[in-house]
Tab-separated table of all heavy atoms in Angstrom:
chain	number	residue	atom	x	y	z
A	541	ARG	N	63.383	133.564	186.543
A	541	ARG	CA	62.307	133.079	187.412
A	541	ARG	C	62.507	131.584	187.723
A	541	ARG	O	62.266	131.148	188.857
A	541	ARG	CB	60.954	133.322	186.759
A	541	ARG	CG	60.519	134.786	186.781
A	541	ARG	CD	59.086	134.969	186.338
A	541	ARG	NE	58.910	134.738	184.921
A	541	ARG	CZ	59.012	135.678	183.970
A	541	ARG	NH1	59.322	136.909	184.319
A	541	ARG	NH2	58.824	135.387	182.704
A	542	HIS	N	62.969	130.832	186.741
A	542	HIS	CA	63.240	129.417	187.002
A	542	HIS	C	64.369	129.256	188.021
A	542	HIS	O	64.303	128.376	188.892
A	542	HIS	CB	63.575	128.689	185.711
A	542	HIS	CG	62.399	128.449	184.805
A	542	HIS	ND1	61.270	127.773	185.233
A	542	HIS	CD2	62.164	128.791	183.508
A	542	HIS	CE1	60.396	127.700	184.231
A	542	HIS	NE2	60.909	128.319	183.186
A	543	LEU	N	65.395	130.085	187.901
A	543	LEU	CA	66.469	130.031	188.901
A	543	LEU	C	65.933	130.324	190.298
A	543	LEU	O	66.249	129.615	191.270
A	543	LEU	CB	67.567	131.033	188.541
A	543	LEU	CG	68.411	130.757	187.293
A	543	LEU	CD1	69.381	131.905	187.060
A	543	LEU	CD2	69.183	129.434	187.405
A	544	ASN	N	65.082	131.337	190.406
A	544	ASN	CA	64.551	131.704	191.712
A	544	ASN	C	63.667	130.597	192.294
A	544	ASN	O	63.690	130.332	193.504
A	544	ASN	CB	63.736	132.992	191.605
A	544	ASN	CG	64.626	134.225	191.595
A	544	ASN	OD1	65.810	134.154	191.892
A	544	ASN	ND2	64.058	135.361	191.238
A	545	ARG	N	62.903	129.944	191.437
A	545	ARG	CA	61.991	128.906	191.923
A	545	ARG	C	62.711	127.690	192.474
A	545	ARG	O	62.119	126.893	193.211
A	545	ARG	CB	61.028	128.489	190.799
A	545	ARG	CG	60.002	129.554	190.444
A	545	ARG	CD	59.053	129.076	189.357
A	545	ARG	NE	58.213	130.144	188.865
A	545	ARG	CZ	58.065	130.484	187.607
A	545	ARG	NH1	58.713	129.791	186.663
A	545	ARG	NH2	57.274	131.478	187.249
A	546	THR	N	63.975	127.520	192.114
A	546	THR	CA	64.713	126.363	192.678
A	546	THR	C	64.955	126.527	194.162
A	546	THR	O	65.211	125.547	194.853
A	546	THR	CB	66.072	126.197	191.966
A	546	THR	OG1	66.933	127.301	192.302
A	546	THR	CG2	65.907	126.084	190.459
A	547	GLY	N	64.927	127.759	194.647
A	547	GLY	CA	65.253	128.017	196.041
A	547	GLY	C	66.740	128.120	196.310
A	547	GLY	O	67.150	128.402	197.442
A	548	ARG	N	67.545	127.894	195.303
A	548	ARG	CA	69.010	127.971	195.435
A	548	ARG	C	69.446	129.396	195.102
A	548	ARG	O	69.174	129.879	193.999
A	548	ARG	CB	69.681	126.989	194.476
A	548	ARG	CG	71.212	127.106	194.382
A	548	ARG	CD	71.881	126.491	195.564
A	548	ARG	NE	73.322	126.734	195.549
A	548	ARG	CZ	74.123	126.422	196.543
A	548	ARG	NH1	73.638	125.847	197.638
A	548	ARG	NH2	75.415	126.651	196.477
A	549	PRO	N	70.125	130.111	196.001
A	549	PRO	CA	70.590	131.470	195.669
A	549	PRO	C	71.672	131.406	194.591
A	549	PRO	O	72.741	130.835	194.813
A	549	PRO	CB	71.160	132.003	196.995
A	549	PRO	CG	70.632	131.068	198.058
A	549	PRO	CD	70.462	129.739	197.398
A	550	MET	N	71.397	131.986	193.443
A	550	MET	CA	72.364	132.005	192.335
A	550	MET	C	72.414	133.392	191.734
A	550	MET	O	71.393	133.907	191.260
A	550	MET	CB	71.964	130.972	191.269
A	550	MET	CG	72.131	129.521	191.708
A	550	MET	SD	71.700	128.314	190.395
A	550	MET	CE	69.937	128.033	190.799
A	551	ILE	N	73.586	134.010	191.730
A	551	ILE	CA	73.762	135.260	191.012
A	551	ILE	C	73.463	135.022	189.537
A	551	ILE	O	73.857	134.000	188.980
A	551	ILE	CB	75.193	135.807	191.196
A	551	ILE	CG1	75.326	136.451	192.580
A	551	ILE	CG2	75.562	136.791	190.121
A	551	ILE	CD1	76.702	137.036	192.849
A	552	TYR	N	72.785	135.975	188.920
A	552	TYR	CA	72.349	135.825	187.523
A	552	TYR	C	73.018	136.918	186.695
A	552	TYR	O	72.686	138.087	186.797
A	552	TYR	CB	70.840	135.933	187.454
A	552	TYR	CG	70.216	135.642	186.113
A	552	TYR	CD1	70.829	134.830	185.167
A	552	TYR	CD2	68.966	136.173	185.813
A	552	TYR	CE1	70.228	134.569	183.949
A	552	TYR	CE2	68.345	135.922	184.589
A	552	TYR	CZ	68.982	135.128	183.659
A	552	TYR	OH	68.385	134.874	182.458
A	553	SER	N	73.956	136.508	185.838
A	553	SER	CA	74.694	137.414	184.968
A	553	SER	C	74.159	137.289	183.562
A	553	SER	O	74.172	136.216	182.971
A	553	SER	CB	76.180	137.068	184.998
A	553	SER	OG	76.902	137.827	184.041
A	554	CYS	N	73.696	138.417	183.000
A	554	CYS	CA	73.015	138.415	181.706
A	554	CYS	C	73.859	139.106	180.624
A	554	CYS	O	74.478	140.143	180.889
A	554	CYS	CB	71.680	139.164	181.812
A	554	CYS	SG	70.547	138.517	183.064
A	555	SER	N	73.821	138.557	179.427
A	555	SER	CA	74.402	139.228	178.264
A	555	SER	C	73.317	139.906	177.424
A	555	SER	O	73.599	140.379	176.314
A	555	SER	CB	75.182	138.232	177.406
A	555	SER	OG	76.281	137.720	178.117
A	556	TRP	N	72.158	139.960	177.927
A	556	TRP	CA	70.952	140.494	177.302
A	556	TRP	C	71.156	141.842	176.614
A	556	TRP	O	70.950	141.980	175.385
A	556	TRP	CB	69.903	140.541	178.389
A	556	TRP	CG	68.549	141.093	178.145
A	556	TRP	CD1	68.016	141.580	176.983
A	556	TRP	CD2	67.510	141.192	179.134
A	556	TRP	NE1	66.720	141.992	177.186
A	556	TRP	CE2	66.383	141.772	178.495
A	556	TRP	CE3	67.424	140.868	180.476
A	556	TRP	CZ2	65.200	142.026	179.174
A	556	TRP	CZ3	66.246	141.120	181.155
A	556	TRP	CH2	65.139	141.684	180.505
A	557	PRO	N	71.598	142.918	177.329
A	557	PRO	CA	71.621	144.221	176.653
A	557	PRO	C	72.628	144.315	175.526
A	557	PRO	O	72.364	144.963	174.500
A	557	PRO	CB	71.949	145.202	177.784
A	557	PRO	CG	72.515	144.374	178.866
A	557	PRO	CD	71.917	143.032	178.758
A	558	VAL	N	73.800	143.691	175.656
A	558	VAL	CA	74.819	143.870	174.619
A	558	VAL	C	74.374	143.302	173.282
A	558	VAL	O	74.618	143.908	172.233
A	558	VAL	CB	76.173	143.281	175.067
A	558	VAL	CG1	76.120	141.761	175.214
A	558	VAL	CG2	77.273	143.676	174.105
A	559	TYR	N	73.668	142.181	173.281
A	559	TYR	CA	73.197	141.623	172.011
A	559	TYR	C	72.113	142.494	171.388
A	559	TYR	O	72.041	142.625	170.166
A	559	TYR	CB	72.704	140.189	172.224
A	559	TYR	CG	73.841	139.198	172.365
A	559	TYR	CD1	74.305	138.839	173.612
A	559	TYR	CD2	74.449	138.649	171.253
A	559	TYR	CE1	75.365	137.950	173.755
A	559	TYR	CE2	75.500	137.757	171.377
A	559	TYR	CZ	75.953	137.406	172.637
A	559	TYR	OH	77.012	136.534	172.768
A	560	GLN	N	71.290	143.089	172.216
A	560	GLN	CA	70.275	143.981	171.658
A	560	GLN	C	70.892	145.286	171.134
A	560	GLN	O	70.473	145.786	170.077
A	560	GLN	CB	69.215	144.285	172.725
A	560	GLN	CG	68.380	143.077	173.094
A	560	GLN	CD	67.161	143.417	173.916
A	560	GLN	OE1	67.141	144.400	174.655
A	560	GLN	NE2	66.116	142.617	173.781
A	561	ILE	N	71.898	145.781	171.820
A	561	ILE	CA	72.594	146.983	171.328
A	561	ILE	C	73.232	146.676	169.971
A	561	ILE	O	73.157	147.482	169.044
A	561	ILE	CB	73.644	147.450	172.359
A	561	ILE	CG1	72.935	148.011	173.607
A	561	ILE	CG2	74.552	148.508	171.746
A	561	ILE	CD1	73.860	148.259	174.784
A	562	TYR	N	73.865	145.520	169.849
A	562	TYR	CA	74.444	145.127	168.565
A	562	TYR	C	73.378	145.075	167.459
A	562	TYR	O	73.659	145.371	166.296
A	562	TYR	CB	75.109	143.745	168.665
A	562	TYR	CG	76.403	143.708	169.435
A	562	TYR	CD1	76.856	142.520	169.987
A	562	TYR	CD2	77.180	144.849	169.597
A	562	TYR	CE1	78.054	142.451	170.679
A	562	TYR	CE2	78.378	144.792	170.311
A	562	TYR	CZ	78.802	143.595	170.841
A	562	TYR	OH	79.978	143.542	171.517
A	563	ALA	N	72.164	144.696	167.833
A	563	ALA	CA	71.085	144.548	166.849
A	563	ALA	C	70.329	145.847	166.608
A	563	ALA	O	69.355	145.861	165.856
A	563	ALA	CB	70.109	143.463	167.328
A	564	GLY	N	70.756	146.937	167.232
A	564	GLY	CA	70.091	148.231	167.045
A	564	GLY	C	68.827	148.386	167.869
A	564	GLY	O	68.008	149.254	167.573
A	565	ILE	N	68.682	147.584	168.925
A	565	ILE	CA	67.510	147.646	169.792
A	565	ILE	C	67.895	148.404	171.066
A	565	ILE	O	68.965	148.160	171.629
A	565	ILE	CB	67.026	146.219	170.149
A	565	ILE	CG1	66.646	145.460	168.883
A	565	ILE	CG2	65.857	146.259	171.140
A	565	ILE	CD1	66.427	143.974	169.128
A	566	ASN	N	67.036	149.279	171.523
A	566	ASN	CA	67.265	149.949	172.799
A	566	ASN	C	66.842	149.028	173.938
A	566	ASN	O	65.653	148.719	174.072
A	566	ASN	CB	66.471	151.261	172.881
A	566	ASN	CG	67.017	152.319	171.950
A	566	ASN	OD1	68.227	152.420	171.754
A	566	ASN	ND2	66.131	153.115	171.366
A	567	PRO	N	67.781	148.559	174.754
A	567	PRO	CA	67.417	147.630	175.825
A	567	PRO	C	66.464	148.263	176.836
A	567	PRO	O	66.550	149.458	177.122
A	567	PRO	CB	68.765	147.286	176.464
A	567	PRO	CG	69.784	147.622	175.439
A	567	PRO	CD	69.223	148.791	174.686
A	568	ASN	N	65.598	147.438	177.384
A	568	ASN	CA	64.697	147.860	178.441
A	568	ASN	C	65.413	147.677	179.777
A	568	ASN	O	65.325	146.623	180.409
A	568	ASN	CB	63.405	147.034	178.397
A	568	ASN	CG	62.418	147.443	179.476
A	568	ASN	OD1	62.720	148.234	180.361
A	568	ASN	ND2	61.215	146.878	179.410
A	569	PHE	N	66.136	148.710	180.190
A	569	PHE	CA	66.963	148.563	181.384
A	569	PHE	C	66.143	148.448	182.662
A	569	PHE	O	66.630	147.884	183.645
A	569	PHE	CB	67.993	149.688	181.473
A	569	PHE	CG	69.231	149.423	180.658
A	569	PHE	CD1	69.418	150.077	179.452
A	569	PHE	CD2	70.171	148.507	181.072
A	569	PHE	CE1	70.546	149.821	178.685
A	569	PHE	CE2	71.297	148.234	180.324
A	569	PHE	CZ	71.479	148.888	179.123
A	570	SER	N	64.934	148.953	182.674
A	570	SER	CA	64.098	148.740	183.855
A	570	SER	C	63.863	147.260	184.072
A	570	SER	O	63.921	146.755	185.203
A	570	SER	CB	62.763	149.479	183.691
A	570	SER	OG	62.951	150.868	183.659
A	571	SER	N	63.591	146.533	182.999
A	571	SER	CA	63.391	145.095	183.102
A	571	SER	C	64.705	144.375	183.388
A	571	SER	O	64.739	143.411	184.184
A	571	SER	CB	62.776	144.563	181.814
A	571	SER	OG	62.535	143.174	181.893
A	572	ILE	N	65.789	144.819	182.771
A	572	ILE	CA	67.088	144.186	183.007
A	572	ILE	C	67.496	144.324	184.474
A	572	ILE	O	67.959	143.368	185.095
A	572	ILE	CB	68.136	144.801	182.063
A	572	ILE	CG1	67.827	144.406	180.607
A	572	ILE	CG2	69.547	144.358	182.438
A	572	ILE	CD1	68.577	145.209	179.584
A	573	ILE	N	67.318	145.512	185.023
A	573	ILE	CA	67.627	145.741	186.438
A	573	ILE	C	66.767	144.845	187.322
A	573	ILE	O	67.210	144.326	188.348
A	573	ILE	CB	67.402	147.219	186.792
A	573	ILE	CG1	68.482	148.092	186.112
A	573	ILE	CG2	67.406	147.451	188.299
A	573	ILE	CD1	68.165	149.573	186.159
A	574	GLU	N	65.516	144.670	186.932
A	574	GLU	CA	64.598	143.872	187.734
A	574	GLU	C	64.972	142.398	187.758
A	574	GLU	O	64.777	141.710	188.754
A	574	GLU	CB	63.170	144.028	187.207
A	574	GLU	CG	62.128	143.270	187.995
A	574	GLU	CD	60.722	143.458	187.474
A	574	GLU	OE1	60.549	144.275	186.532
A	574	GLU	OE2	59.816	142.783	187.962
A	575	HIS	N	65.548	141.902	186.648
A	575	HIS	CA	65.698	140.461	186.519
A	575	HIS	C	67.131	139.955	186.542
A	575	HIS	O	67.347	138.735	186.614
A	575	HIS	CB	65.043	140.000	185.202
A	575	HIS	CG	63.562	140.163	185.189
A	575	HIS	ND1	62.934	141.202	184.525
A	575	HIS	CD2	62.583	139.450	185.789
A	575	HIS	CE1	61.625	141.089	184.695
A	575	HIS	NE2	61.377	140.048	185.466
A	576	CYS	N	68.130	140.832	186.507
A	576	CYS	CA	69.534	140.400	186.438
A	576	CYS	C	70.346	141.056	187.539
A	576	CYS	O	70.118	142.212	187.885
A	576	CYS	CB	70.139	140.759	185.087
A	576	CYS	SG	69.280	140.048	183.653
A	577	ASN	N	71.346	140.321	188.033
A	577	ASN	CA	72.271	140.884	189.016
A	577	ASN	C	73.397	141.668	188.363
A	577	ASN	O	73.954	142.577	188.979
A	577	ASN	CB	72.887	139.789	189.883
A	577	ASN	CG	71.867	139.113	190.791
A	577	ASN	OD1	71.633	137.917	190.695
A	577	ASN	ND2	71.267	139.876	191.693
């Protein structure tokens, strides 16, 4: 959201799901799809 508020178009690449998978957490892919490119 902070990236979007700058007004500068920036692709957003997340490592979010892989760290959660390593930790035994089921990632919320609906949210990941919503917030990451």
Side-chain angles (χ1 to χ4, degrees):
R541 287 190 289 270
H542 286 303
L543 291 176
N544 280 347
R545 289 182 189 127
T546 68
R548 172 77 186 172
M550 290 181 268
I551 283 181
Y552 187 25
S553 173
C554 303
S555 296
W556 177 2
V558 66
Y559 284 94
Q560 292 193 331
I561 291 169
Y562 287 158
I565 300 168
N566 290 323
N568 181 352
F569 277 104
S570 295
S571 182
I572 292 166
I573 290 168
E574 182 179 354
H575 294 103
C576 302
N577 293 119

